[in-house]
Amino acid sequence: MGIKGLQGFVATVCPEACRTVDLREVAEKHRIEHPDFPPVIVVDAMSCVRYWYTPESWVCGGQWREYLAGLEDFVKAFMAAGITLVFYFDGVVEEKKRDEWIKRRLQNNKEIARIFQFIKTHRKQPGRGMFIVPSALPTFTRFALKSLGQKTVCTLQEADFEVAAYGLQHNCIGILGQDSDYVIYNTCPYFSIEKLRLDRLVTVMYSREDLCRALGLSLTHLPLFACLLGNDVVPESLLEGFWQKCLVSSPHKNNSYSRRTNILLAVANYISKLPCSYSSLKHLEEMLPLGSDKTLLYRGLESYLLPGQQSPWIPPNATNCQKISLQQQTAMCQDKEIFQQLAKEQHIRSENYTIFNILSNGEIECSNSLEDECDTEIPGQALIYRPARQHIYSVLLESGKGGAYPLVKEWFVYFGNPLKEPELIQPVQPSIPG
């Protein structure tokens, strides 16, 4: 989900790391250097939905044809340049990122409440400044792209990791998205979807090498840099004291910069003086108030290691738990063959989504819907459709021997649900013979 402030920092403080590139020229260079491999761009689809969805009447919905036409134009522009696109969608919410997912859902609830208040006050929908992605749009987008003949992939773990891994392993010409984590991963070039001019296929490439030169770092420093700024593994709340120490000793402090910018410069200055070794990491772990979990920093660094990569901060014989694997998943469905083959394969191909998650670990989530929390006469859609879901769970998890069904953990967003714990839902057998 990125590092707070890093994208803006690169643009304002290290403009040399923001290069305007012509994707046609990049593709042509690739064809010359690799004549047997067509140029491929891997697309972080979740961070592109806002770019694709341009219809004005987004509150009322109903612009499916316009949206589909926009996606078709997007695909055709790259096809005309001989560029193949591979679209990646989030397929799971990893347990380590559940707290951040909840935080964002609750924040979205506040934004949706402001939208309804605006509509009631002004009798019209707000502009794009209050835009919320329509419910289930990413799910519909997957099927729209498949109908256009595009390769779509639904992930088995955090999407940015799989996107970065695919880009590296398949020698892609770049990643198209909007997530500052792509500045940190040592993978193929990172192109901005926000800066993309589709008519000319021109965008901005964020250069890791130029960023490192500006900060006095090497590429191997970047994962530690990300962790010490706070990311999805290492909470910012644990780093305030460390940042203060870095600010005091930093020679780069500039009163015209924001505090966050000065923190980024100070942390980079601190890291640049550290030997790249496991002993340096151990010293940092002892210095930081990591509480009972002293492995946070280690796990944060490991999360940026793509398959086949090593880090001087981590011993070479350490096990990389980021491998794309289902070995630690526990099947809740008795038919292991269905679980291991059909459900997994269909999930990856974007032919289903929630089925795989229910079969693999009995967990399901549903993000915000555009619902008015002040309208108490109509319950949220999460509650309206719960009886139907209970029947579906019973079909998916049917024991076959009269045993009790396992409970399903639901993380559904609706007014009145604080999301502190999952709701444990009992499957209910449909009253239909056979």
Side-chain angles (χ1 to χ4, degrees):
M1 296 179 183
I3 296 94
K4 180 182 173 183
L6 181 58
Q7 198 93 39
F9 173 85
V10 175
T12 56
V13 182
C14 308
E16 63 272 30
C18 304
R19 303 182 193 172
T20 299
V21 293
D22 185 321
L23 296 179
R24 289 189 181 90
E25 293 177 1
V26 174
E28 186 57 35
K29 181 182 177 184
H30 177 88
R31 271 189 286 267
I32 293 170
E33 295 176 354
H34 307 279
D36 296 330
F37 298 94
V40 175
I41 289 178
V42 54
V43 183
D44 181 347
M46 300 297 284
S47 62
C48 295
V49 169
R50 285 175 178 267
Y51 175 90
W52 292 327
Y53 193 84
T54 57
E56 288 300 316
S57 185
W58 54 272
V59 167
C60 299
Q63 299 80 41
W64 179 247
R65 288 184 179 178
E66 291 91 335
Y67 184 57
L68 188 59
L71 288 176
E72 191 170 12
D73 290 342
F74 183 87
V75 169
K76 284 181 176 177
F78 285 90
M79 287 178 64
I83 299 172
T84 299
L85 300 176
V86 178
F87 296 87
Y88 267 76
F89 290 84
D90 278 312
V92 297
V93 176
E94 291 189 4
E95 199 55 41
K96 65 183 180 182
K97 301 194 176 182
R98 178 65 67 186
D99 288 346
E100 183 63 27
W101 184 88
I102 291 170
K103 180 180 173 184
R104 294 191 180 202
R105 301 292 80 75
L106 295 177
Q107 181 59 41
N108 284 352
N109 277 345
K110 295 177 182 177
E111 294 173 12
I112 289 170
R114 284 195 289 270
I115 289 169
F116 277 102
Q117 187 57 48
F118 183 96
I119 293 171
K120 292 171 185 176
T121 303
H122 301 281
R123 296 291 188 264
K124 63 178 182 179
Q125 81 160 16
R128 294 283 292 193
M130 296 178 74
F131 177 73
I132 289 284
V133 173
S135 303
L137 187 61
T139 301
F140 297 141
T141 302
R142 289 202 293 273
F143 291 102
L145 290 167
K146 287 177 76 67
S147 75
L148 296 173
Q150 298 304 293
K151 180 177 180 179
T152 61
V153 179
C154 203
T155 66
L156 299 175
Q157 60 190 84
E158 188 67 22
D160 56 7
F161 177 84
E162 290 200 29
V163 167
Y166 186 93
L168 179 68
Q169 293 170 336
H170 293 82
N171 194 26
C172 295
I173 63 173
I175 292 167
L176 184 62
Q178 206 68 33
D179 187 329
S180 54
D181 272 334
Y182 296 129
V183 178
I184 305 300
Y185 285 109
N186 190 2
T187 182
C188 60
Y190 162 36
F191 304 132
S192 167
I193 183 65
E194 283 188 3
K195 304 293 183 184
L196 176 66
R197 287 290 305 272
L198 190 63
D199 55 341
R200 296 188 290 127
L201 279 190
V202 170
T203 188
V204 168
M205 180 187 79
Y206 296 101
S207 168
R208 302 176 194 95
E209 292 78 10
D210 287 342
L211 174 62
C212 286
R213 272 192 287 273
L215 295 176
L217 302 176
S218 68
L219 289 176
T220 55
H221 284 115
L222 288 179
L224 182 61
F225 181 56
C227 291
L228 292 178
L229 291 172
N231 59 12
D232 296 331
V233 180
V234 185
E236 289 183 26
S237 57
L238 300 180
L239 298 167
E240 276 289 346
F242 170 72
W243 292 342
Q244 198 55 44
K245 290 179 183 177
C246 292
L247 286 168
V248 170
S249 59
S250 174
H252 305 297
K253 192 170 182 180
N254 187 325
N255 290 331
S256 65
Y257 289 155
S258 68
R259 183 173 185 267
R260 183 64 179 176
T261 295
N262 277 314
I263 287 172
L264 268 73
L265 290 169
V267 170
N269 175 68
Y270 179 90
I271 293 173
S272 68
K273 296 178 172 58
L274 289 179
C276 291
S277 67
Y278 181 54
S279 60
S280 294
L281 181 69
K282 294 300 290 180
H283 174 72
L284 279 167
E285 287 178 338
E286 292 166 6
M287 185 178 72
L288 294 172
L290 299 179
S292 59
D293 190 355
K294 294 294 184 184
T295 66
L296 272 179
L297 205 53
Y298 182 98
R299 288 193 287 112
L301 281 167
E302 192 180 48
S303 71
Y304 290 109
L305 272 186
L306 301 178
Q309 292 182 342
Q310 293 184 333
S311 167
W313 309 99
I314 296 175
N317 58 348
T319 302
N320 184 358
C321 65
Q322 281 290 107
K323 290 178 181 176
I324 301 175
S325 169
L326 281 181
Q327 292 174 355
Q328 295 186 11
Q329 298 264 22
T330 302
M332 293 185 69
C333 175
Q334 286 196 340
D335 193 332
K336 298 290 179 67
E337 186 178 351
I338 292 177
F339 164 71
Q340 291 174 346
Q341 297 180 14
L342 185 60
K344 178 183 172 183
E345 290 170 8
Q346 289 185 350
H347 176 91
I348 294 171
R349 293 197 303 265
S350 304
E351 293 172 6
N352 71 50
Y353 172 45
T354 54
I355 291 175
F356 169 76
N357 293 333
I358 293 165
L359 289 176
S360 61
N361 57 12
E363 195 162 20
I364 180 175
E365 55 274 320
C366 180
S367 187
N368 307 77
S369 301
L370 205 59
E371 298 176 321
D372 185 2
E373 65 177 42
C374 296
D375 185 352
T376 56
E377 293 185 8
I378 303 176
Q381 61 85 16
L383 299 176
I384 290 175
Y385 290 106
R386 178 172 287 172
R389 292 198 304 275
Q390 288 178 286
H391 291 322
I392 293 170
Y393 298 154
S394 77
V395 173
L396 290 175
L397 303 173
E398 202 275 317
S399 68
K401 294 181 180 179
Y405 294 111
L407 298 174
V408 175
K409 292 180 284 186
E410 284 193 350
W411 296 93
F412 275 59
V413 181
Y414 60 88
F415 177 62
N417 184 7
L419 296 173
K420 291 181 179 178
E421 298 286 343
E423 294 179 278
L424 301 179
I425 306 302
Q426 176 69 54
V428 176
Q429 188 172 1
S431 56
I432 302 172

